[in-house]
Every structure is written in structure tokens, then in C-alpha cells.
């Protein structure tokens, strides 16, 4: 799944007509922690997209992420247990992280509370992994990114760290919402039982079920009842999520 088109129809009763708002979403399976989806591409499918001016750069650089329920649970557990740093980049540069850790150790030997140290940030390690690793190794510090090239370490008290950790929980929630991406739109449609009208959309429903709800089971009729209120299959399909 690379792109979703969605048109919302709003009834205008006194004018006996509908107003329509059409949206086009590029969706891309973002990677974070152990959530790192593998997918195959067929040559003819890519050629078809090229012929119809599909923007591959927008798909990869700006595509909206998504998760199904199982992926969300895995990611929530990893964030809570701070194990994302272990799985996010299984080949991250441990030597570089160790070099930074050595500099912090030397600095901590004489540092006082509220003292700060700015270090160059290695491009081979993501921000999330670097901060998680350093915060785990040095409980007496807190780290933030100054810019794309530098990271700041501050020695803090336990009291201040407790306050920061509460704020950090909100940051974790923002990370999760970012990864959920288009799944949040899907869940809103399900919550409000909105009718979906589509042409030959049974395959699309299977994709939506797998990507935004749960992995496809061996038989699909019964599980579909969890998200579908009513479905008419004809030349046109009318579905109530």
C-alpha cells in the first residue's frame, strides 16, 4: 500500500446536495524499534506508477506512517522498557557510542549539578538511540539535541529528573502517535461507523484490515465483523466501518 485516496461527503439538507472534500495520502511503513516492515515490489507495478506520475520521493520522504494493533503493542512495550535503543538499529556504531560515553565519564568525575557538556553527535547513530543509550548508562545526566550536529549533556538532581521524566512520557506519546499516522484516520472512521463507498474494493479492505487493524487471519469473514457494520458487494461496494 503506497497511496490512499479519500473523499468525504457532507450533506447539505436545505440545498438537497452534498459537498465533497477529497484527500490524497501517501502512506509509508515507517521503521522504529523492532517495527521494521519488509515488502516486495513488482517491476510492472513500479512501471505503472511511473506512467501515472507517482511521486516516489514524496512516498518515502513524506509518506505517513501506520501501525496495526499488534505492531502498536510491540512498540508501546519497547518504549516503556527502553528497549527501542537495542532494536532500532541492530548495526548502530557501538564504538562511537562508547567513545562518547568515555568523554561523559571523564566530565562527570568533576561536574556539579546543572553543569553542561556539549559533544558532537555521530551521524551513524539516530537521536533516539543515542539519547536512550546515554540516559541508560548515566542515570545522573539528561541529554537533548542542540542541533543536527551536537548533543548536550546536563548533570541533574533526582528531583529534576523526575520532573523531566514526566515530560518525557508525553514525548513518548508523540512518538507513538507519529508512528500510528494514518491508522488514526482509519480508527476515526471505524469509531463513527462511517459508510465507505468503493469500486471493487474487497482487496482494498483486506489491505486496510492488515495494515491498520490486525494481521490477516486464515479466514476473513468473521474477523471483518469487528470493523464492518454492513457491506453490500455489487458492481460498487458500500461498506459501513
Amino acid at each position: 500500500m503506497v497511496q490512499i485516496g479519500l473523499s468525504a461527503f457532507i450533506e447539505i439538507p436545505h440545498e438537497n446536495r452534498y459537498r465533497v472534500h477529497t484527500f490524497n495520502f501517501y502512506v509509508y511503513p515507517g521503521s522504529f524499534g523492532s517495527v521494521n516492515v519488509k515488502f516486495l515490489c513488482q517491476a510492472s507495478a513500479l512501471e505503472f506508477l511511473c506512467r501515472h506520475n507517482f511521486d516516489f520521493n514524496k512516498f518515502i520522504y513524506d509518506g505517513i506512517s501506520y501501525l496495526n494493533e499488534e505492531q502498536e503493542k510491540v512498540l508501546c512495550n519497547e518504549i516503556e522498557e527502553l528497549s527501542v535503543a537495542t532494536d532500532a538499529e541492530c548495526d548502530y556504531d557501538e564504538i562511537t557510542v562508547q567513545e562518547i560515553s568515555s568523554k561523559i565519564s571523564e566530565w562527570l568525575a568533576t561536574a556539579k549539578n546543572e553543569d553542561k557538556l556539549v559533544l558532537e553527535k555521530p551521524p551513524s547513530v539516530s537521536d533516539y538511540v543515542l539519547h536512550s543509550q546515554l540516559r541508560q548508562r548515566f542515570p545522573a545526566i539528561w541529554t537533548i539535541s542542540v542541533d543536527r550536529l551536537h548533543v548536550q549533556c546536563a548533570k541533574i538532581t533526582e528531583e529534576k529528573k523526575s520532573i523531566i521524566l514526566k515530560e518525557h512520557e508525553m514525548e513518548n506519546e508523540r512518538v507513538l502517535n507519529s508512528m500510528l499516522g494514518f491508522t488514526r484516520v482509519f480508527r476515526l472512521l471505524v469509531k463513527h461507523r462511517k459508510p465507505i463507498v468503493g469500486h471493487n474494493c474487497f482487496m482494498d479492505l483486506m489491505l486496510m484490515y492488515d495494515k491498520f487493524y490486525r494481521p490477516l487471519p486464515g479466514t476473513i469473514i468473521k474477523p471483518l465483523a469487528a470493523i464492518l457494520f454492513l457491506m453490500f458487494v455489487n458492481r460498487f461496494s458500500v461498506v459501513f466501518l
Side-chain angles (χ1 to χ4, degrees):
M1 182 178 292
V2 297
Q3 195 173 35
I4 295 177
L6 186 65
S7 293
F9 288 79
I10 301 174
E11 184 180 11
I12 308 177
H14 63 280
E15 297 182 14
N16 194 29
R17 67 185 182 91
Y18 287 85
R19 179 181 293 115
V20 61
H21 301 275
T22 299
F23 306 89
N24 181 33
F25 303 92
Y26 284 82
V27 291
Y28 181 79
S31 62
F32 197 85
S34 63
V35 178
N36 190 11
V37 178
K38 296 179 181 179
F39 57 91
L40 300 174
C41 295
Q42 190 173 6
S44 59
L46 295 179
E47 291 167 0
F48 172 85
L49 292 173
C50 285
R51 288 197 300 272
H52 291 82
N53 302 315
F54 182 78
D55 191 338
F56 288 93
N57 283 328
K58 189 174 183 63
F59 164 58
I60 295 175
Y61 285 111
D62 301 323
I64 304 170
S65 184
Y66 54 85
L67 299 171
N68 61 32
E69 287 184 358
E70 288 195 8
Q71 292 171 324
E72 181 185 5
K73 288 178 183 177
V74 169
L75 197 54
C76 282
N77 289 336
E78 290 181 350
I79 290 175
E80 288 177 2
E81 297 170 3
L82 295 177
S83 60
V84 173
T86 302
D87 297 322
E89 296 177 4
C90 58
D91 59 345
Y92 77 87
D93 192 349
E94 169 62 28
I95 295 177
T96 301
V97 174
Q98 187 57 50
E99 289 176 353
I100 293 177
S101 297
S102 296
K103 294 178 182 178
I104 295 175
S105 293
E106 293 178 7
W107 168 72
L108 276 176
T110 56
K112 299 177 181 178
N113 286 333
E114 305 301 329
D115 282 356
K116 296 179 176 61
L117 173 69
V118 177
L119 298 168
E120 288 188 9
K121 186 164 54 178
S124 58
V125 184
S126 71
D127 283 7
Y128 194 95
V129 171
L130 181 62
H131 292 310
S132 297
Q133 285 287 329
L134 295 179
R135 291 168 188 170
Q136 281 183 293
R137 298 182 187 198
F138 304 100
I141 71 167
W142 191 256
T143 59
I144 60 171
S145 294
V146 179
D147 52 40
R148 292 188 304 107
L149 302 176
H150 298 89
V151 60
Q152 176 181 282
C153 305
K155 186 174 182 181
I156 57 176
T157 62
E158 286 294 329
E159 182 180 357
K160 186 170 183 178
K161 186 172 184 178
S162 297
I163 297 173
I164 293 176
L165 284 174
K166 289 181 180 179
E167 297 174 351
H168 188 59
E169 288 177 5
M170 297 176 61
E171 177 62 28
N172 287 340
E173 186 176 346
R174 283 194 288 269
V175 169
L176 183 60
N177 283 334
S178 174
M179 284 297 294
L180 280 170
F182 192 81
T183 301
R184 299 170 67 189
V185 177
F186 174 80
R187 290 177 178 175
L188 193 64
L189 294 173
V190 173
K191 177 182 178 181
H192 292 284
R193 297 293 202 184
K194 292 300 181 182
I196 302 295
V197 181
H199 177 60
N200 294 332
C201 68
F202 191 75
M203 183 62 73
D204 299 283
L205 286 173
M206 298 302 99
L207 283 170
M208 290 169 67
Y209 186 102
D210 181 68
K211 306 304 180 187
F212 309 136
Y213 186 54
R214 294 174 183 169
L216 285 171
T219 175
I220 194 63
I221 300 301
K222 185 176 180 181
L224 270 179
I227 62 169
L228 302 182
F229 174 66
L230 181 62
M231 177 176 179
F232 298 101
V233 180
N234 204 322
R235 181 180 178 185
F236 293 91
S237 298
V238 180
V239 180
F240 288 80
L241 289 179

